[in-house]
Amino acid sequence: MKKFSRLLSKTVIFLLVLLISAASYAQEKKQDQPVQKSRPNAASGYSYWSIGLFGGVMQFNGDLSKNLWINLGSNSIGYNYGLVVTKQFTRVIGVRLRFAHGKLQSSVDSKNAWDYSLNDPHAFISKKFVAYPWESDLQLTVNWLNWALGYKPERVFSSYLIFGFGVDQTVGHRTDLLTSKDDAWIGQKGASNNLGNTSGISGTNLALKVGAGLGFDFNIDQHWSIPIEFYWRWQNSDVLDMTPGGSKQVVNDMYSSATIGLAYKFGYSGGNLKTMAKRYGEVKYETTPPVLSEKGDSVVVTIKGTFPQKYFAKKAAMQFQPVLTYNGGQTELKAITLKGERVTGDGIPVKYKEGGSFTYTTTFPYKPEMNTSMLTVAPVIYEAKEKTYAKKAEIKEKVKFVELPSRDLVPGVIYTPTRIIPDQVALIADHGYQKEVIVSRTGMVFFKKNKFDLDLKYGLNKTDAAKAGLTDVANFVHQGWKIKSIDMNGWASPEGEETFNANLSENRSKTGQKWMVDQYKAWAKEAEKNNKDKKAVKAAIEAAGKDVNIPLAHHGPDWNGFLKGVQNSDLKDKDKILNVVNSVADPKKKEQEIRNMILIYPQIEEKLLPPLRRCEVTANLYEPRFTDEELSKYAVSDPSKLKVEELLYAATITNDPAAKLTIYDNAAKQFPNNWKALNNAAAANIVKGNYAKANDYLTKAQGVAPNNGIIENNLGVVAAMQNNSKKAEAQFKKAQQLGENENYNLGIYEIPRGNYPKALNMLGNTKCNYNLGLAQLVSGNNSAAEATLKCAPQTPGNSYLLAIVGARTNNTKMLYEYLMKACQDANLKVQAQGDREFYNFAKTPEFQNIVK
């Protein structure tokens, strides 16, 4: 039995050492990242202390026990209570000191009274003992649940294995009762401390022991817990039952206990770097937007980080610095510091028990290299007992740290807002050509006072001006242009009676009509002399005269003419005269006042009234025009036949770009000092992509007509087409100040700036336009963008935007259909390969087949 006892003790010790090594190895293997030290012998790991009280029951298992493992009954159960002090080093390993006192008792009946010399071989012996051990143990605890399943802060229940060794100091007493086979009492014998070495305190028996057990821990909160433990001990002696072993007895004593206690944890560091690294997968990041997007030459990103409960060590800090990585480089964004609740210094505090969150927002300049990129973060956690550090180099130099694994946050950068096309509108100056031009000539027939008969020998009619006027009208009509009308307007001087003047002016207009008819008769006689078919000619002319529209109008007294004459005269009292006429409302009284004035001022009758007694003869004729066909022909083949207005008009009636360009170039050459010709020639060359020639035309036009909004606009268009957006925008603003509507041309530039509502407002008057569709797309109105782009001219660029609409609406049919059309342009195919608009579809076979 002694050999068996030694073998058992060695086996338990070996298993204890093996389990401790395995637990330590497992802890190291489960760490995601090794802790890096900037200095040797840096302080290690997570730890806390705890102290607990416990109480429970004990049972004995040995020579004087009825069963080796389980003994129930009032004579076999004792008590056990004590104190335990624990140092927890990791989530798995802990070491503790256990001090306990208890009572052990047991009894056994035997017919084999081998240790007594009795005459009666059938004597019956009943052996009883009571022992009071004082226990001192050094124990190792291994939390097998955290080891096997991993630590979880929300776990309320935990379990652990207990291994230990120690000493017992025992005071005990044994009583043997001897009876006959007939239960007759024979005698008794007692023993106390007679088998031990009495080397303990106050002569107690001293024994070494090893132990093993199983514990269950129920966490109430961060500091308090309820442990329940079952623990077995093996001694290397028989001092408990004071019964030496024999060939059939147990040589070494064993006893066990079941206890419940209450423990308090203190000096709790609230986590460590290894634990934070191990649990880093539980940290969540939510990034807005889900794909980085360029807006106004900048990129804005917001990251919300969430830490779970019992994650962020109280004396730790984290440097959080996202990095945008792309082909050929990377951009480090601003860094922030997060810190545990016991850390002093700068940083965003995060509680250990409750966990916490933070929001990180930053803006950084956009560069085209970022179009295909990934935003990642690899935080650095470090011990921060005294302060936090802003720079990563300082962290690595001065404190213990862990570089956490890199995590992809969000792909970037969507640069769709930059996909504007320079289709700014060049302005065409109005040609000024009128297809129907009315040319007028006016002559006067003057009459004597109160007369309406035609008398060309009358004084005013004999003046050179009067003769020339009538002759001019006659010749003008006679030249054969198409007549619109020949208007007759009869007037009278205002001194006569109103009704009389009305009739007089009407008759004078009729006299004018007669004069015009006489002209036709004269032309008929002249035609008869030069034409054999005299009757036919005469009839034709007379018929023409009858068909002429000769409206008759009579206006009565010419008061305005009279007032104007007085105003322009040298009469002394003309202001008085004007005041009298203007102040009298009654026409009759007004007429009488003029008659009175004539008596006072004879000059009125002599000079002011005679010109008012007249008939105005106004001929309105259509100026002859080339037909559109003739204009189109001459504008290309013989531009010298045409006026500048005709040339500029001819360019507007052709849909042939080449012919249009030729006509405008001809106009600019033929009329080099006409700004309209120069400007329109420039606009035609812009369409053809001849930007240098267009700029030359516009520079000349600017010299002819400085500060002209149309010219300034077109200079801006040339700059835009040459990708000089800064100069283009300045030109458009100047043209706007000069009165031109620059909403579209300027509105385009609001798209890459991110001013989408403003852009939509400024582009609002356009329809079926690429840039309008782009503005609708980037502003989030996918349906409007789709409608606009589908009715716009179908180009690869337009199809590319429609493919983006398909991607954003998860319409794969639309995406692949239009992406196929867009990729007919080799440049767009290359762009699509890395465009983050298609990030969620980039690995599909359909997408790969299109862009490969």
Side-chain angles (χ1 to χ4, degrees):
M1 291 298 293
K2 289 185 178 179
K3 290 182 179 181
F4 174 77
S5 176
R6 292 192 188 97
L7 179 61
L8 179 61
S9 298
K10 291 178 180 179
T11 301
V12 171
I13 293 172
F14 173 75
L15 290 174
L16 177 66
V17 173
L18 181 63
L19 188 56
I20 294 171
S21 300
S24 300
Y25 176 74
Q27 279 295 100
E28 292 300 321
K29 291 295 286 182
K30 283 180 179 289
Q31 301 301 321
D32 291 334
Q33 291 290 320
V35 175
Q36 303 181 41
K37 299 180 180 179
S38 58
R39 304 188 301 274
N41 303 318
S44 62
Y46 165 92
S47 66
Y48 66 83
W49 289 90
S50 74
I51 185 169
L53 298 174
F54 61 86
V57 297
M58 288 202 301
Q59 68 167 3
F60 178 75
N61 308 93
D63 295 302
L64 299 188
S65 62
K66 295 180 180 180
N67 192 297
L68 184 60
W69 293 103
I70 300 176
N71 293 298
L72 301 176
S74 59
N75 293 329
S76 300
I77 302 299
Y79 58 82
N80 187 231
Y81 64 90
L83 168 74
V84 62
V85 178
T86 302
K87 173 66 174 179
Q88 188 72 31
F89 290 98
T90 71
R91 294 292 185 185
V92 175
I93 302 298
V95 175
R96 65 186 193 176
L97 289 173
R98 183 179 185 274
F99 303 98
H101 179 60
K103 176 184 177 181
L104 285 169
Q105 61 183 15
S106 186
S107 64
V108 65
D109 297 333
S110 175
K111 293 182 179 180
N112 242 337
W114 55 270
D115 55 348
Y116 288 92
S117 297
L118 300 175
N119 296 326
D120 186 352
H122 302 290
F124 190 85
I125 304 173
S126 178
K127 299 180 180 180
K128 301 178 180 181
F129 87 93
V130 176
Y132 299 92
W134 292 89
E135 299 184 77
S136 300
D137 294 89
L138 177 63
Q139 296 176 329
L140 174 73
T141 60
V142 179
N143 193 312
W144 65 271
L145 200 62
N146 286 347
W147 177 26
L149 302 181
Y151 170 73
K152 293 184 178 180
E154 66 273 13
R155 184 181 291 143
V156 175
F157 166 79
S158 189
S159 181
Y160 51 91
L161 301 174
I162 308 168
F163 304 94
F165 64 91
V167 296
D168 285 347
Q169 300 183 83
T170 308
V171 176
H173 179 76
R174 193 186 83 188
T175 302
D176 298 342
L177 299 177
L178 288 73
T179 59
S180 67
K181 65 179 181 178
D182 298 323
D183 295 329
W185 181 78
I186 298 176
Q188 67 178 20
K189 183 176 182 180
S192 177
N193 292 342
N194 60 340
L195 294 177
N197 52 32
T198 65
S199 60
I201 298 174
S202 300
T204 56
N205 290 317
L206 185 69
L208 299 177
K209 64 178 179 180
V210 295
L214 178 66
F216 303 93
D217 202 17
F218 295 89
N219 295 311
I220 300 174
D221 59 22
Q222 181 180 352
H223 295 288
W224 293 96
S225 66
I226 299 175
I228 298 175
E229 297 181 352
F230 302 91
Y231 190 56
W232 289 264
R233 298 84 148 171
W234 291 270
Q235 283 191 354
N236 64 345
S237 70
D238 287 305
V239 297
L240 291 176
D241 57 4
M242 293 165 286
T243 301
S247 61
K248 295 183 181 180
Q249 285 79 20
V250 179
V251 175
N252 304 108
D253 293 334
M254 181 182 77
Y255 63 99
S256 60
S257 62
T259 60
I260 184 171
L262 182 66
Y264 177 76
K265 301 173 185 178
F266 61 96
Y268 187 57
S269 66
N272 66 0
L273 300 185
K274 286 185 178 180
T275 302
M276 290 178 71
K278 178 181 177 181
R279 296 182 58 205
Y280 179 54
E282 299 176 40
V283 178
K284 305 300 181 185
Y285 297 123
E286 181 181 348
T287 308
T288 305
V291 180
L292 295 180
S293 180
E294 181 274 343
K295 186 175 182 180
D297 292 330
S298 298
V299 181
V300 180
V301 62
T302 298
I303 303 167
K304 182 180 180 181
T306 304
F307 299 106
Q309 296 178 352
K310 298 183 180 179
Y311 172 81
F312 210 106
K314 295 182 178 180
K315 295 184 179 180
M318 172 187 287
Q319 187 195 57
F320 182 90
Q321 184 176 30
V323 176
L324 189 69
T325 303
Y326 42 88
N327 186 22
Q330 64 178 24
T331 297
E332 292 184 344
L333 309 188
K334 74 173 183 179
I336 62 170
T337 298
L338 305 158
K339 63 177 185 177
E341 55 189 88
R342 293 186 182 177
V343 177
T344 59
D346 296 332
I348 302 170
V350 181
K351 291 187 176 297
Y352 170 75
K353 181 179 179 181
E354 297 87 348
S357 63
F358 69 95
T359 300
Y360 169 98
T361 299
T362 190
T363 302
F364 56 93
Y366 164 76
K367 296 188 291 186
E369 304 94 284
M370 299 174 177
N371 292 346
T372 303
S373 58
M374 180 62 69
L375 186 67
T376 62
V377 67
V380 176
I381 54 175
Y382 60 95
E383 289 185 341
K385 297 178 180 179
E386 298 178 356
K387 60 179 293 187
T388 58
Y389 298 92
K391 297 181 179 179
K392 191 177 295 185
E394 287 185 296
I395 296 171
K396 292 184 176 182
E397 178 185 352
K398 297 181 178 180
V399 293
K400 183 173 61 172
F401 67 93
V402 175
E403 287 186 311
L404 297 176
S406 178
R407 297 253 299 264
D408 290 345
L409 297 176
V410 63
V413 172
I414 288 176
Y415 58 100
T416 303
T418 67
R419 290 188 175 277
I420 61 172
I421 61 172
D423 67 344
Q424 283 86 348
V425 178
L427 298 179
I428 299 291
D430 181 28
H431 49 72
Y433 177 77
Q434 294 178 308
K435 296 190 72 171
E436 185 178 87
V437 177
I438 307 299
V439 182
S440 299
R441 296 286 190 274
T442 299
M444 301 284 188
V445 177
F446 297 99
F447 300 91
K448 296 176 183 179
K449 184 177 180 179
N450 297 329
K451 301 293 184 179
F452 58 83
D453 54 309
L454 180 63
D455 185 358
L456 295 180
K457 294 181 179 181
Y458 169 64
L460 288 178
N461 289 331
K462 292 192 299 182
T463 63
D464 292 340
K467 290 179 181 180
L470 290 177
T471 301
D472 186 42
V473 169
N475 293 337
F476 182 59
V477 173
H478 194 203
Q479 66 180 329
W481 290 6
K482 184 180 178 181
I483 298 172
K484 181 178 183 295
S485 67
I486 302 176
D487 300 330
M488 302 297 170
N489 290 283
W491 296 91
S493 57
E495 82 281 7
E497 191 269 329
E498 184 175 1
T499 303
F500 178 80
N501 278 340
N503 293 329
L504 185 62
S505 63
E506 180 180 6
N507 288 327
R508 286 173 176 172
S509 65
K510 291 178 180 179
T511 299
Q513 181 186 36
K514 181 179 180 301
W515 176 82
M516 193 72 249
V517 171
D518 288 343
Q519 300 306 307
Y520 271 94
K521 289 179 179 180
W523 298 331
K525 289 180 180 180
E526 183 182 353
E528 284 180 324
K529 295 178 182 179
N530 302 317
N531 194 303
K532 293 181 181 179
D533 192 358
K534 297 179 181 181
K535 286 186 178 182
V537 172
K538 183 178 179 181
I541 293 175
E542 287 180 347
K546 291 177 183 178
D547 292 338
V548 171
N549 181 20
I550 306 179
L552 301 179
H554 57 281
H555 308 284
D558 187 1
W559 284 104
N560 290 330
F562 174 73
L563 294 175
K564 185 176 180 181
V566 172
Q567 182 66 50
N568 294 330
S569 71
D570 55 0
L571 289 171
K572 275 185 178 184
D573 299 324
K574 62 181 179 180
D575 292 337
K576 181 180 178 181
I577 297 171
L578 292 173
N579 184 54
V580 170
V581 173
N582 290 326
S583 62
V584 177
D586 187 351
K588 291 183 179 181
K589 289 184 178 181
K590 194 178 283 191
E591 294 164 5
Q592 183 60 50
E593 287 295 336
I594 292 179
R595 287 193 288 270
N596 295 336
M597 290 176 190
I598 292 173
L599 297 175
I600 301 172
Y601 306 103
Q603 188 180 356
I604 294 177
E605 175 62 37
E606 294 173 3
K607 294 185 178 181
L608 301 184
L609 296 180
L612 304 180
R613 302 161 185 154
R614 71 195 187 280
C615 175
E616 295 175 353
V617 181
T618 302
N620 304 300
L621 277 61
Y622 293 102
E623 185 178 65
R625 284 284 189 264
F626 288 117
T627 65
D628 285 357
E629 292 75 11
E630 290 171 328
L631 288 173
S632 297
K633 174 184 175 182
Y634 294 142
V636 174
S637 62
D638 193 0
S640 61
K641 285 186 176 182
L642 303 181
K643 299 175 184 178
V644 65
E645 295 86 356
E646 293 172 323
L647 280 169
L648 298 181
Y649 169 73
T652 67
I653 59 178
T654 178
N655 293 321
D656 183 355
K660 192 182 294 288
L661 179 62
T662 299
I663 294 171
Y664 278 133
D665 278 340
N666 287 340
K669 292 175 184 176
Q670 188 169 327
F671 301 97
N673 294 319
N674 186 289
W675 75 268
K676 290 186 176 182
L678 295 168
N679 175 84
N680 293 5
N685 279 278
I686 289 172
V687 173
K688 295 294 289 184
N690 303 329
Y691 304 129
K693 188 174 182 180
N695 192 71
D696 182 56
Y697 276 138
L698 291 169
T699 302
K700 293 176 180 178
Q702 200 176 35
V704 175
N707 296 320
N708 184 298
I710 295 177
I711 298 170
E712 300 300 334
N713 172 83
N714 291 350
L715 284 167
V717 174
V718 171
M721 300 304 173
Q722 294 176 328
N723 296 317
N724 189 344
S725 58
K726 186 176 181 180
K727 179 182 178 182
E729 190 170 10
Q731 288 294 143
F732 295 143
K733 287 181 177 179
K734 185 176 180 181
Q736 188 178 52
Q737 292 170 356
L738 292 170
E740 299 302 324
N741 184 346
E742 296 296 322
N743 279 351
Y744 183 82
N745 290 353
L746 287 172
I748 292 174
Y749 292 114
E750 299 300 332
I751 299 174
R753 290 195 181 104
N755 300 326
Y756 305 141
K758 186 176 181 180
L760 287 170
N761 182 58
M762 297 179 75
L763 304 179
N765 289 332
T766 59
K767 304 292 181 185
C768 301
N769 174 271
Y770 172 94
N771 284 323
L772 174 62
L774 174 62
Q776 292 166 334
L777 173 62
V778 296
S779 65
N781 195 341
N782 295 319
S783 59
E786 180 180 353
T788 298
L789 293 168
K790 282 185 175 179
C791 73
Q794 296 304 295
T795 63
N798 193 80
S799 295
Y800 196 95
L801 291 189
L802 283 168
I804 292 175
V805 173
R808 290 192 177 189
T809 57
N810 205 32
N811 185 340
T812 54
K813 180 181 179 181
M814 180 180 180
L815 163 62
Y816 299 136
E817 175 187 348
Y818 283 100
L819 188 62
M820 180 77 75
K821 295 178 181 179
C823 286
Q824 294 174 7
D825 184 321
N827 289 330
L828 291 177
K829 178 183 285 191
V830 173
Q831 292 175 29
Q833 292 171 3
D835 195 334
R836 293 314 198 191
E837 289 279 11
F838 308 122
Y839 184 76
N840 294 330
F841 308 92
K843 294 182 180 180
T844 63
E846 295 89 345
F847 186 90
Q848 289 294 321
N849 289 334
I850 293 172
V851 301
K852 67 182 178 181

